[in-house]
Structure formats: structure tokens, C-alpha cells
Amino acid sequence: MTSNSFSSLPISSAFVANLDSLGYKKMTAIQAQGLPHVLQGKDLIAKAKTGSGKTATFGIGLLQKINPRFFGVQALVLCPTRELADQVGKELRKLARSTPNIKLVLLCGGKPFAAQKGSLEHGAHIAVGTPGRIQDHLTRGTLILTGVNTLVLDEADRMLDMGFLDVITEIIAETPKARQTLLFSATYPDLITKMCRTILQEPVTVSVEAEHHDTVIEQTFYQVKNQQRKNALLGLFEHYQPETALVFCHTKIQCDEVARYLQEHQIEALAIHGDLEQRERDQVLVRFTNHSCPVLVATDLAARGLDIKSLQAVINFELPHDPEIYVHRIGRTGRAGETGIALSLFTEQEHLRVKAIETFQNKPSRCDTGESLQPNPGFTLQAPMVTIQLDSGRKNKIRPGDLLGALTGDAGLSGSQIGKIDIFDISSYVAVERSALSQVLKYFTNGKVKGRSVRARKII
Ligand code: ADP
Ligand code: MG
């Protein structure tokens, strides 16, 4: 049994007393599960929700290893945004109160470089910051990471969402191999799993939410007449009102037709299939994953390998012949312990497909008729974000931090108005809140990124 008292950990009583004075009486679940491993020096992958006490999970660990008499950076914490780095910095300073003479430096964009350089020159033991600015310091030789013994990636999924993978990889290459690495992430897309394999050594994985092995997917089959299919699809949207959905069709032509039909009925949708050029495909995926398009209409082939998290609904415009494909399709909803909905349309002739699914899943299929759907005529589905395309990318040495910097600095947006940033070779895509669109476009009529004018347009 794991004890949840801090005094059960191999840390000094002065440290425990300080925690107590901060109101930390008992460990949170992630701390109770993670800290014993962290304090043994093991690499850790931790999955936990916001507010679960992750900062102390790595903070208590990294502080034990700081040698105050060595004036170099011994712990490096990477955070996705300036705000999060600020929060982590504050929390670490509180945790460090019982350990004299520990200096922490915040290395984030939007703050004067020279002051950070000065702090580093005076000797900082802990560096907390955003990947972009940390890389700047490395490039200019103002930050040395050869003394790092603890590396923390906080909110790793968000950092990857923001396009920081390359930058993070470059930063990690500057740290010693024999370091302890702690990675925190709320979700585990493939990219994180891949990254974990290369940067962690024999990691211990802890997860505080009970894993829902039996994910809850509510499946309903609606019998319709073939000529009513599109109308019934609309009925499904109006009735269930999902915020995101993946609609499966059989053919490329069907995908285009269905996406067009939904658009004509005020439901923002894009089709994805094998006939699209790579650039078009990239754009569709960028828009779907950055929340600027709520509905994707796809063939099985095109949907293969889509790395999409938290889809609220999967809709089968037409059922596949093979029940295994059905199960594969609907497995894209209801991930991470959330309830997902799987909705399918079928005609009388296709009834056998429903039967086959029933046999395959070994449970009865809940069937209904299209007429049972509550219509909601005024219903519209619009994405919360819009995508701006910029005519500069990796080849122009554009990095996510540069765009974030231009938009939160000169263009006057707040960090929360900016979503995912995707950098391609010769173009970049930034998701911004719909309400900030005109401000952003106006900025780019004269505005610059890294001293260069960049052309921007909204993708439609
Ligand atoms: P996360 O990074 O998981 O979102 P934080 O580390 O920011 O969460 O912690 C959330 C809040 O809980 C902070 O205000 C922190 O001071 C507090 N906290 C963390 N651990 C404990 C604990 N063991 N007891 C009481 N409060 C805690
Ligand atoms: Mg946190």
C-alpha cells in the first residue's frame, strides 16, 4: 500500500515541514504514485488531469538533487506557454523555501533577453521556460545544459500540439544522456509515445485516472430510405449536436457530396480522401485537429492513421460490409474515459450488415428509425477557431515561438486566443479564436515575423 503522507518519503523533515506550511498535508494521487519512483531517480511518464499536483511531483524530486554550491543549471523544466512557466516557477520557489540559496530563472519569450542572460551568468540552479526562448539561449551560448541532472517536460502533449517537437528534440540533445527525465501529459497521442521511446530510459508509467478499458460508446443504428440518407444525417447532427464528428463514407464522390451538403446546411465540414493533393490533405488535417473545422467526412483509407483525440461522435453514413471495420471506425470516439457516440444509417437492404455487427460484438444492436430524431431546424455547427495560413515556414526559419511572439506581442492577442501552430516547409498555420481573426489579418497587412513581412490569409 502506498502511504499518502509526505513524511513517508526519503526527504528531510525540514522539507516536510515546509510542505506542511504550504498546506500540503497529504500527497495527491499522482504524488503518492509518482514521488517514490522520482526520488529513486527513475524516469517517469505521468498522466494526470490539470490540478492534480504534477508540479510538486517533479518539483520535490528535482530539488533533492540540486547542489547549491555548483552554480550551473541542474534542472530544466520545459513548459508550453509563458503563463504555465510562470506558474511552475512560482510553485517551485515555494517548494524550495526550506533549501537555502537555490536560484531559479524563468526563460520565456516576451521578456528581455539580457536580464535572463544576466541571471544565468550569476548562476541559476533551475531553469524553467518555453522551448523557443530556451533554444535562443542555447544558440547564443548563454545557457549551458551539460550540468542538467533532471529534465522535465510539463504538458508535453500541448507542447507538441504547438509544433515544438523539433525544438524540444534539439534542446534535449544538449543535455547529458545520464539525466533523469520526467514527462507529464494529459493525453497520449502516437507522437508522445514515439517521443517517450527515444528520450526516456526504462520509464515508470503512472496514471491517476482509472483507465476505462471498457470505453463507453453508445451505438445506435437508424433505418432510413436510401434517398433520405443525407437528410437523416442532418437529423443526427441536429438531434445529438456533437461538437466534433468523423463521418465515414464509402467513396470519394460520396465524401465530397456529403461534406458539401453539410456545408449547405450550416454545418462546417471538410472531406478527406485519396484524391486530395498532399498540400490539401495537410490543410484539412490541420484544420480538423486545430479545432477550426468540426466535421471531417472520410473514407476508411483516408482516415487510417489520423491522429485525432476526443472525437465526440463517429457517424457511419453507410455501414461497411465488414463488422471489423465498423468496430475500428467507432473506436475513434469515446477515448480517454469519455462517453462517445457511434451513429449509423442503414437501409432495409443493408440490414444484414447490422446483423453481422451484432454477431461480431456479441451484443444486440440498438436500432431505431430516422423519424425518431428530433429535428432542430435552426441548428448550426461552427468551429470555435479559424486557421490562418502564412506564406513562411521551416525553410524561412519560422518557429512556433516566433509566431506566438508576434501575435501575443505586436498583434496584441492573449495567449488563450491562439491555438495549435503547425509549421510546414514553406507555410505555417495558426489557429486563432474566431473573434480575433480580423485583428490578426490586420496585423499581417504590415506586421512582421522575425523582421520579415509575412503574408497571411484565412483558409476557407
Ligand atoms: P497540475 O500541474 O497537475 O495542473 P499543480 O501542480 O499546479 O497541478 O497543483 C494544483 C494546485 O494544488 C496548486 O495550487 C498546488 O499548490 C496545490 N497542491 C499540489 N499538491 C498539493 C498537496 N499535496 N496538498 C495540497 N495542495 C496541493
Ligand atoms: Mg501543471
Side-chain angles (χ1 to χ4, degrees):
M1 219 185 82
T2 44
S3 159
N4 58 4
S5 140
F6 283 105
S7 56
S8 69
L9 298 171
I11 53 177
S12 72
S13 48
F15 204 100
V16 176
N18 178 45
L19 290 173
D20 196 71
S21 76
L22 294 174
Y24 285 32
K25 310 283 179 199
K26 295 223 170 301
M27 289 192 262
T28 64
I30 190 80
Q31 292 160 2
Q33 287 184 32
L35 271 168
H37 300 294
V38 171
L39 292 169
Q40 278 176 21
K42 299 226 170 88
D43 280 5
L44 181 82
I45 300 176
K47 178 174 177 176
K49 290 195 296 259
T50 316
S52 49
K54 290 185 286 275
T55 317
T57 310
F58 61 78
I60 294 175
L62 69 85
L63 284 167
Q64 308 309 311
K65 295 198 288 180
I66 302 283
N67 173 1
R69 284 178 300 279
F70 169 68
F71 291 98
V73 173
Q74 298 159 56
L76 176 68
V77 183
L78 300 178
C79 302
T81 65
R82 193 190 309 170
E83 290 81 7
L84 287 166
D86 271 343
Q87 276 176 27
V88 168
K90 285 204 185 92
E91 184 85 5
L92 291 181
R93 285 196 171 109
K94 283 198 254 167
L95 294 172
R97 282 201 304 220
S98 60
T99 332
N101 304 323
I102 292 199
K103 285 198 195 145
L104 181 147
V105 62
L106 274 177
L107 304 176
C108 300
K111 295 276 159 64
F113 191 89
Q116 297 173 355
K117 180 172 174 242
S119 300
L120 287 165
E121 279 165 359
H122 282 94
H125 303 101
I126 305 171
V128 178
T130 48
R133 180 56 67 97
I134 287 174
Q135 197 192 33
D136 285 344
H137 280 283
L138 287 172
T139 314
R140 300 201 210 170
T142 45
L143 174 66
I144 308 290
L145 296 178
T146 49
V148 166
N149 52 36
T150 317
L151 168 72
V152 179
L153 299 160
D154 196 13
E155 311 223 3
D157 49 351
R158 280 195 66 190
M159 289 200 280
L160 294 197
D161 273 353
M162 294 170 83
F164 281 131
L165 178 64
D166 294 349
V167 176
I168 292 174
T169 311
E170 284 174 42
I171 294 171
I172 295 178
E174 301 288 321
T175 65
K177 284 223 164 51
R179 61 175 193 263
Q180 180 182 22
T181 308
L182 310 172
L183 182 142
F184 295 80
S185 193
T187 59
Y188 278 82
D190 291 350
L191 208 53
I192 293 271
T193 317
K194 264 185 229 145
M195 187 166 94
C196 286
R197 251 180 250 139
T198 56
I199 66 166
L200 294 135
Q201 288 175 30
E202 297 172 32
V204 175
T205 303
V206 298
S207 164
V208 297
E209 313 151 290
E211 292 271 356
H212 286 245
H213 288 299
D214 203 16
T215 29
V216 194
I217 303 176
E218 282 174 17
Q219 309 176 42
T220 316
F221 299 80
Y222 290 92
Q223 185 167 346
V224 295
K225 298 222 162 51
N226 199 32
Q227 64 274 22
Q228 290 170 345
R229 232 188 257 272
K230 283 195 197 127
N231 194 34
L233 176 66
L234 211 54
L236 291 176
F237 274 102
E238 291 174 354
H239 182 83
Y240 287 95
Q241 313 207 345
E243 283 162 27
T244 52
L246 181 57
V247 180
F248 280 100
C249 292
H250 262 358
T251 64
K252 299 167 189 174
I253 295 171
Q254 211 176 33
C255 285
D256 282 332
E257 270 178 24
V258 167
R260 200 176 319 119
Y261 181 83
L262 290 173
Q263 280 160 7
E264 283 163 10
H265 292 84
Q266 320 321 319
I267 293 175
E268 267 187 278
L270 291 170
I272 185 160
H273 53 65
D275 276 358
L276 299 185
E277 288 171 27
Q278 187 61 40
R279 194 181 51 87
E280 293 171 309
R281 194 184 146 83
D282 289 344
Q283 284 193 1
V284 169
L285 287 182
V286 161
R287 290 167 71 187
F288 190 65
T289 51
N290 75 10
H291 307 292
S292 54
C293 171
V295 182
L296 200 59
V297 186
T299 55
D300 287 299
L301 202 63
R304 196 180 287 168
L306 285 187
D307 188 14
I308 305 167
K309 12 179 188 190
S310 70
L311 266 178
Q312 288 186 1
V314 166
I315 302 178
N316 294 298
F317 185 68
E318 204 177 317
L319 281 172
H321 293 276
D322 182 349
E324 214 173 325
I325 293 180
Y326 169 83
V327 171
H328 190 76
R329 284 183 181 180
I330 69 163
R332 294 170 173 281
T333 180
R335 283 181 174 179
E338 288 169 30
T339 308
I341 49 177
L343 309 167
S344 306
L345 301 176
F346 70 99
T347 60
E348 203 177 348
Q349 291 84 347
E350 292 158 5
H351 193 247
L352 281 177
R353 299 186 197 172
V354 180
K355 282 279 160 222
I357 289 167
E358 209 165 83
T359 313
F360 188 80
Q361 296 195 113
N362 197 18
K363 67 173 186 191
S365 299
R366 184 169 59 186
C367 292
D368 212 328
T369 61
E371 283 83 60
S372 67
L373 297 169
Q374 292 285 322
N376 188 345
F379 178 72
T380 62
L381 181 55
Q382 201 182 43
M385 312 291 280
V386 287
T387 301
I388 310 280
Q389 180 182 17
L390 303 170
D391 69 346
S392 286
R394 205 173 280 132
K395 292 214 166 126
N396 313 85
K397 305 240 182 315
I398 293 278
R399 296 172 316 177
D402 303 325
L403 298 178
L404 211 57
L407 290 171
T408 55
D410 301 342
L413 269 70
S414 75
S416 62
Q417 290 177 295
I418 304 163
K420 196 163 178 276
I421 296 177
D422 291 279
I423 312 265
F424 288 81
D425 278 350
I426 52 165
S427 54
S428 313
Y429 301 92
V430 187
V432 298
E433 265 179 20
R434 196 169 285 277
S435 58
L437 173 66
S438 53
Q439 197 180 337
V440 173
L441 291 178
K442 194 165 149 228
Y443 171 74
F444 280 112
T445 52
N446 295 308
K448 295 190 170 45
V449 179
K450 285 182 114 177
R452 227 185 118 249
S453 11
V454 164
R455 265 200 303 215
R457 67 180 186 96
K458 174 185 178 240
I459 319 189
I460 33 162

